[in-house]
Amino acid sequence: MLTRRKFIKNTGKGLVGTMLAGSLLDVEEASALENEAQKRLSFTQDRLMYTYKDLAPYIDALTMEIHYTKHHTAYIKSVNEAIIAENVMEQTGRDLFKDVASYSDKLRNNAGGAWNHNFFWESMTPKVGTPPSKLADMIQATFGSFEQFKEQFAQAAVTHFGSGWTWLVDHKGKMEIISTSNQDNPLMGPAQKTPLLGLDVWEHAYYLKYQNRRSEYVQNWWNVVHWDKVAERLI
Ligand code: MN
């Protein structure tokens, strides 16, 4: 575009009217394209509301640091590259996830990775808490008790085969526990279930501290769930 503009600037004078009109249109077109590019959807990495060591001993500082600065950063960089390469015109992440089947695996995986981890960081806190009353009531009504909910969620997380996520979602006013593979999330596809809570069960999320003991990671993770944030996500 800069090249086109330079060309127009250098050659504009003295061109016949029709040519000049064509060049001016090109300038407008280039400017419109630049505006489009500036408006283009991009993913950013949210700042952590705690330090790497604050979730210890449940999640250790080194795992947090590598997870945040290496894994998540890489998803953010790759999704933004893919958005440009595939000329994605969606205006929101939500729209992109709804139409995700139209795009490449690179875009799908990295968009999920970018969004899921922001959601995950925000779902955790070093402050001990319990579900606020409205959330607690919904959990009890759906799963029988808070303990039964935790058991069912942990069961889903521990038995999910391979890399992925386990979620508590709201689907049309009903709570469900679901798991997704790779970096897929509940917003992907036309149904778009609303994520309330998500747990990363990729080995990179726990292997340094827990090795193969995913179950122990899941049990300890309950100590750092940010229940006030989960409640805010209820529609
Ligand atoms: Mn992860």
Side-chain angles (χ1 to χ4, degrees), residues 49-94:
M49 301 307 283
Y50 39 82
T51 70
Y52 299 136
K53 63 176 170 34
D54 286 348
L55 303 181
Y58 311 114
I59 298 181
D60 61 289
L62 185 58
T63 296
M64 275 303 301
E65 181 173 355
I66 295 172
H67 204 173
Y68 184 83
T69 63
K70 306 292 185 202
H71 295 276
H72 193 198
T73 306
Y75 295 128
I76 299 270
K77 181 171 179 284
S78 297
V79 68
N80 290 331
E81 284 169 6
I83 284 170
I84 292 167
E86 296 179 33
N87 197 29
V88 173
M89 301 307 282
E90 312 276 1
Q91 290 300 300
T92 67
R94 210 181 162 88

